[in-house]
Amino acid sequence: MVYRRTLRRDVACTGIGLHSGRPVRLRLRPAPAEHGIRFLRTDVGVTIPATLAHIGAQDHATTLRRDGVSVGTVEHLLAALYGLGVDDALVEVDGPEVPVLDGSAAPFVILLHEAGLRPLAVPRLYLKVLRPVEAVHGAKSARLVPSDHFELRYTIGFDHPLLRHQALALRVSGRSFSDAIAPARTFGFLREVELLRKSGLALGGSLENAVVIGETGVLNNKLRFEDEFVRHKILDAIGDLALLGRPLLGRLEATKAGHALHAAVAQKLLATPGAYELVPALGAAATEAKPSTAPAAALRPAEA
Ligand SMILES: [Zn+2]
């Protein structure tokens, strides 16, 4: 049996919001079983569950909203929680946006290592895809298809010589997420930066927290991976699929997709009768997620 997991202790960090440019303090706290992942805006006292039902704006980042109060840029933190198998936690922020830090999920992985993980006394149920569902918008598509593991196959293509085509397939485990996906940073095109700023977005963006692509190359010194861009798209997709609220057994097949399509295909899965069932861990997932052995130990910083 695999059990739900939360954090061992509180951890916190401070950083600026990518779009607002304002400083924000983030604290991650343990939570009881079936609490799920929830955001608490401590400055206004409103709690927002990290579920599909609370999705707000989705241009350039995913925002959660409830009663007119929102938390923006949640996807990298949610990806880290989902990728490392945290089911229940409270995320406190004292402003409208999660800090962007270095534009990847790596700082959140480090923070979660610092917190450590602890099993709860409630079995973990997985959302198993039984029938394919898809969301399509022109040449962009996102499909969820059956698989005994959580996997993603992602293809991107942009009208830019550096980014005509990148593709990557990955089976998600705590290790593959931490090593291959979490360090991949947000990226944007120089030609779009001015436009974003004019619309009040990316005010906190800089070469410290995003890869900026100019006409002939990246403005940053170097990439963390040759295919860092598609890896970041996978990171975003994991963060958006985390809004399903349960660990997924299925494969996302995405082409030129983004936050809106990731969420749309997830919504479609839940809305399609017979497209999924809730199951306890299958063989491979069970060995990977045993609460008292491998992952908990791997997540303790001293042993990492
Ligand atoms: Zn992102």
Side-chain angles (χ1 to χ4, degrees):
M1 186 61 73
V2 176
Y3 292 89
R4 292 177 72 91
R5 291 194 291 185
T6 188
L7 310 180
R8 281 189 188 278
R9 63 186 78 83
D10 286 17
V11 281
C13 71
T14 304
I16 59 163
L18 176 62
H19 292 302
S20 64
R22 287 167 43 186
V24 54
R25 181 157 176 83
L26 170 87
R27 180 185 294 273
L28 307 177
R29 318 192 70 163
E34 301 293 350
H35 172 280
I37 307 297
R38 294 185 209 172
F39 288 81
L40 169 60
R41 278 277 304 270
T42 54
D43 53 330
V44 289
V46 172
T47 303
I48 312 174
T51 62
L52 292 166
H54 293 93
I55 288 182
Q58 285 183 301
D59 43 343
H60 302 287
T62 295
T63 296
L64 297 173
R65 188 181 303 277
R66 183 186 200 178
D67 301 335
V69 172
S70 63
V71 181
T73 323
V74 295
E75 63 271 19
H76 304 158
L77 171 60
L78 288 179
L81 291 162
Y82 206 58
L84 297 187
V86 180
D87 303 288
D88 300 297
L90 180 65
V91 181
E92 294 181 353
V93 282
D94 64 358
E97 211 176 356
V98 172
V100 63
L101 304 175
D102 73 350
S104 80
F108 297 124
V109 168
I110 292 168
L111 205 57
L112 290 170
H113 285 186
E114 194 186 320
L117 301 193
R118 150 173 99 75
L120 296 161
V122 173
R124 194 173 205 222
L125 292 181
Y126 292 74
L127 225 158
K128 180 163 175 52
V129 179
L130 298 178
R131 296 208 327 244
V133 291
E134 69 178 348
V136 181
H137 185 77
K140 306 172 177 186
S141 65
R143 271 162 63 84
L144 281 170
V145 303
S147 169
D148 288 341
H149 306 273
F150 179 29
E151 301 172 319
L152 299 97
R153 184 182 299 164
Y154 216 110
T155 304
I156 59 172
F158 290 91
D159 180 22
H160 189 285
L162 271 185
L163 264 186
R164 292 262 183 261
H165 178 86
Q166 278 187 5
L168 186 68
L170 179 97
R171 178 176 295 177
V172 181
S173 66
R175 167 143 301 186
S176 72
F177 177 80
S178 300
D179 293 350
I181 300 301
R185 291 163 296 172
T186 305
F187 62 92
F189 295 95
L190 186 59
R191 64 193 181 204
E192 287 177 353
V193 171
E194 276 294 293
L195 285 174
L196 283 173
R197 296 227 160 134
K198 274 182 191 150
S199 46
L201 292 169
L203 298 177
S206 72
L207 295 180
E208 302 298 313
N209 55 38
V211 178
V212 179
I213 306 162
E215 291 306 313
T216 55
V218 299
L219 275 56
N220 314 62
N221 284 336
K222 60 177 184 147
L223 296 172
R224 291 178 176 176
F225 305 96
E226 200 180 334
D227 57 353
E228 185 167 357
F229 309 103
V230 72
R231 289 174 192 248
H232 188 81
K233 294 297 287 191
I234 288 178
L235 168 55
D236 281 343
I238 293 171
D240 291 332
L241 291 175
L243 298 173
L244 284 164
R246 293 197 184 271
L248 189 68
L249 294 176
R251 182 169 65 249
L252 176 76
E253 299 176 347
T255 301
K256 298 183 176 185
H259 295 303
L261 273 187
H262 303 154
V265 76
Q267 305 260 26
K268 195 149 181 186
L269 179 73
L270 296 189
T272 306
Y276 72 92
E277 65 178 348
L278 290 180
V279 298
L282 305 175
T287 35
E288 194 199 322
K290 256 178 208 153
S292 56
T293 57
L299 287 171
R300 278 200 286 275
E303 298 168 30

